[in-house]
Amino acid sequence: MIKILIVDDSAFMRKLLSDLFSAELDFLVVGTARNGKEAVEKVKQFKPDVITMDVEMPIMSGLQALEIIMKEIPTPVVMLSSLTSAGANATLSALELGAVDFVAKNAGVISNIAGISTEIVAKSRAAIKANVSQLSKVKVIVPSMTNLSFQSFKQSTNEPILAIGTSTGGPRALQEIVTRLPGNLPCGVVIVQHMPPGFTRSLAERLNSLSSLTVKEAEHNDIIRAGLVLIAPGDHHMSIEREGNKKVVKLNQNPPIGGHRPAVDPMMESVAKAYGENAVGVILTGMGHDGAKGIQAIKQKGGYTIAEDQSTAVVFGMPKSAIELGVVDKVAPLSTIAAEIVKAIVK
């Protein structure tokens, strides 16, 4: 049985969530808490396998409780956050502090879980497999790597590109990598992070404030250029297409692939087609297998491929799927991936 603790200041939400998990044969609700202070006490008392926690609560917020829990008794946590700009920023803070994942809920006079109950259960079930020891590490922002000489970069009629795909645990992993890349990186960067609308913009803004590169949420017809990092917007697939001597971003709302929109595979497949051997593909932490086919496409076109090592991946699903296909050139821990990217671009 998966022991779960439910933390929410709303009695109505605590009842809804308790009923939801009690109806699942593999879950046991060991307790509920009305605020962060109670949550910390009950985590120590019941030692749950996973926690669902509201972000905004009185006495002690979800963020304050999360920070204490990850330091004192690391436990997988799934945050419930509101679909607002403030909610998105708080969610990113929660992910940095060590939350495994989050579920965005509609905020109204009375919040409810209509339409997201399946997602809450699935993410809570998956969270128990997370590498909590990796999540509980304190995040340290490091300065960018020493700027590189443009003369040493690969000379080609096609400029290089870096394509990154990630899901659960991705925001922390992206922060680790993007902040380490040099400001004079001579290629564009495209990223797919599984996230709903609004959250990808907050992620881009946060990374932009920490990096020497320019990071923004991608828009339709954005031109790929050196030093620009484009993150696919939530609820839109992103692909790269040639237009004359330029390569531009195209966004669409075609059906989700494997439950994801944006999905990594179509982005990487378009990169393979547009850039061929000049593409560097990176697959990071995440549940499932999205990105494996995309990495395969890059490899088949002569590009270079990197996957995150199991030792640092919060969830090893996506990197593992790519590795098992036999299409990954380098498996590396998160702390060295930025350096591996630079080496791959410098030829």
Side-chain angles (χ1 to χ4, degrees), residues 22-280:
S22 294
E24 299 293 323
L25 296 178
D26 55 340
F27 277 94
L28 174 65
V29 180
V30 294
T32 63
R34 296 170 295 178
N35 55 60
K37 185 174 182 294
E38 280 190 10
V40 172
E41 294 168 355
K42 291 193 175 183
V43 168
K44 293 177 180 178
Q45 178 184 356
F46 295 115
K47 295 181 172 55
D49 299 310
V50 64
I51 304 163
T52 65
M53 182 141 54
D54 193 18
V55 173
E56 299 174 8
M57 294 182 292
I59 302 177
M60 181 186 287
S61 72
L63 293 181
Q64 292 170 313
L66 176 65
E67 187 170 13
I68 295 170
I69 290 167
M70 295 311 291
K71 285 180 180 177
E72 297 186 3
I73 182 166
T75 306
V77 178
V78 176
M79 305 298 292
L80 299 183
S81 58
S82 61
L83 282 167
T84 63
S85 177
N89 287 327
T91 298
L92 288 174
S93 295
L95 295 174
E96 287 180 4
L97 289 170
V100 174
D101 212 336
F102 71 96
V103 177
K105 63 179 181 178
N106 292 317
V109 177
I110 298 179
S111 296
N112 62 63
I113 56 173
I116 59 172
S117 58
T118 300
E119 183 183 3
I120 293 171
V121 172
K123 288 188 173 181
S124 297
R125 188 176 284 126
I128 64 170
K129 301 176 184 178
N131 185 347
V132 180
S133 62
Q134 180 65 23
L135 283 166
S136 62
K137 291 178 181 177
V138 177
K139 183 73 185 103
V140 179
I141 301 300
V142 296
S144 293
M145 296 168 59
T146 304
N147 281 349
L148 304 169
S149 166
F150 281 104
Q151 294 178 353
S152 67
F153 286 108
K154 175 167 62 175
Q155 298 299 311
S156 173
T157 54
N158 264 344
E159 72 280 12
I161 190 170
L162 170 61
I164 302 175
T166 187
S167 186
T168 310
R172 284 163 60 100
L174 290 172
Q175 183 168 307
E176 177 84 12
I177 291 170
V178 174
T179 59
R180 288 176 181 257
L181 294 174
N184 67 343
L185 193 73
C187 69
V189 182
V190 287
I191 296 172
V192 166
Q193 160 73 60
H194 295 159
M195 269 186 166
F199 292 83
T200 44
R201 177 167 301 223
S202 293
L203 175 63
E205 289 172 350
R206 181 162 300 203
L207 290 175
N208 185 60
S209 71
L210 299 172
S211 172
S212 54
L213 298 166
T214 300
V215 186
K216 68 184 287 286
E217 186 180 59
E219 297 176 73
H220 195 64
N221 290 327
D222 271 342
I223 297 171
I224 304 296
R225 61 175 175 80
L228 176 64
V229 180
L230 297 171
I231 299 179
D235 204 33
H236 288 78
H237 291 307
M238 178 172 72
S239 62
I240 312 303
E241 296 181 9
R242 293 174 177 269
E243 285 190 357
N245 61 353
K246 296 179 181 178
K247 297 182 181 71
V248 299
V249 165
K250 298 296 181 182
L251 303 177
N252 68 72
Q253 289 190 300
N254 292 340
I257 299 172
H260 302 297
R261 188 170 64 196
V264 179
D265 280 333
M267 180 271 284
M268 287 196 170
E269 288 166 354
S270 72
V271 162
K273 183 177 179 181
Y275 286 84
E277 65 176 11
N278 294 284
V280 175

